[in-house]
Amino acid sequence: MILMKKIQLYLSFVNLTSNELALKLNGFLMSCLPSDYADFLHRQETNPYSLTVIKNQDGFIWTVNLLNDEAIQKIGSQLLTLREIRLESYDGLITIQRIEQVTLTLKNLTDHFYAETKQPTFTVHFESPTSFKSQGEYVIIPNLRLIFQSLMQKYTRLVAQDDEIDTELLAYLDQHTRIVSYNLKTRYFTVHKQKIPAFQGKLTFSLRGAETLKSYVQMLLKFGEYSGVGIKTSLGMGGLTFEERRN
Amino acid sequence: MILMKKIQLYLSFVNLTSNELALKLNGFLMSCLPSDYADFLHRQETNPYSLTVIKNQDGFIWTVNLLNDEAIQKIGSQLLTLREIRLESYDGLITIQRIEQVTLTLKNLTDHFYAETKQPTFTVHFESPTSFKSQGEYVIIPNLRLIFQSLMQKYTRLVAQDDEIDTELLAYLDQHTRIVSYNLKTRYFTVHKQKIPAFQGKLTFSLRGAETLKSYVQMLLKFGEYSGVGIKTSLGMGGLTFEERRN
């Protein structure tokens, strides 16, 4: 059973920042969808898709993660047939050089959960500007509790179809993990003239405790590669990858 | 009245890391001092000197900050007459290419205090691995409260000759400052086979509140360029500079 899908569109060079392009591509994507589904998406607290735009030497990689069946059907079908993109507020024609896709099955995820792992540390890359909101304030200092809380919230809503996260598990995770190294810098992400403080880079944490806890974290991070982490993941923020090590 | 002195010795290339060289130069420095004064220094909770070793293209810059009169007399006199250094546990002869010194007078510091400043943000560079200890644990996540607490503690002990910091002022500072950007990475500093987690890089914070508070912070940071910040500042950690802007 396919749970989620990651579609990567390799775009020609565009004279915009990845921040600007991400916002425009999100608008473009919404304009391609049936309006009732686009409206439905606007009302969701946790969107069933996330996206990032990352510059490479040839142009930009636009990644769209589709986080449930309906999104795979309705958004995926639009993306996979695209050959070029004409944005409303950008003159040039953007050509799509190639499209790659990866699927995540329930088995992929649960394999992570049941895989024995001796791995004591986990390294996470925040590929696009990442930010959290806590008590009405943006948090740009790395904070494992907020990272896990966000991933658990997204997982609970999208996969477990529940609304309440296991706060005891979150507290336990927080107590048993520790940041051991990082290389991070702040980067502001602009949305409708609002500059959102965020950070980007690499973070490694260690985890003490039961094997199953490690497996759970590994699963949560694998899920996070699709869901993203933190706020505004459908506008280009919070793109996450982790260094998967098998042993 | 000269309060403090910064002596910078430009050393020839040495085949050691700046971490290793800092420890060896501290040992060398202690061996040059009268043994009763070296013993006295060992017993201090806050040492009246701090040092950093930073690599540049030609070799290393060894900076020694002397934080009171006695240190200026006893340590400064040793340093300023040095022409070369032979370390016990390193074969090569280290030549001193040049020596520079800067002094900080009480007037320099109080000028900061009384200078009107409209500056809303302060940028601090952690030039060498910097770490804090709080409740028995190393803290490597940037934390303004710990930064101010450390500077206030050093200032209180070394300049105000008191032992108790103004905890209300610290709380007020903590409430009125906020990290707005940073570019930091962790770097471990090894002392006697113990790897101390630390960070290095650049941090900018904003400060709301009265002009006098800004002046106080500016003075504290100026002082911090001599005292260093956090733990093990006499072994090469916690070297600090700040971007001084006058308006």
Side-chain angles (χ1 to χ4, degrees), chain A residues 224-236:
Chain A
E225 291 194 326
Y226 288 76
S227 68
V229 67
I231 62 169
K232 304 216 186 290
T233 47
S234 56
L235 296 181

Side-chain angles (χ1 to χ4, degrees), chain B residues 120-136:
Chain B
T121 63
F122 296 84
T123 296
V124 175
H125 295 260
F126 302 100
E127 307 277 359
S128 68
T130 301
S131 190
F132 299 89
K133 247 187 160 170
S134 175
Q135 299 171 320

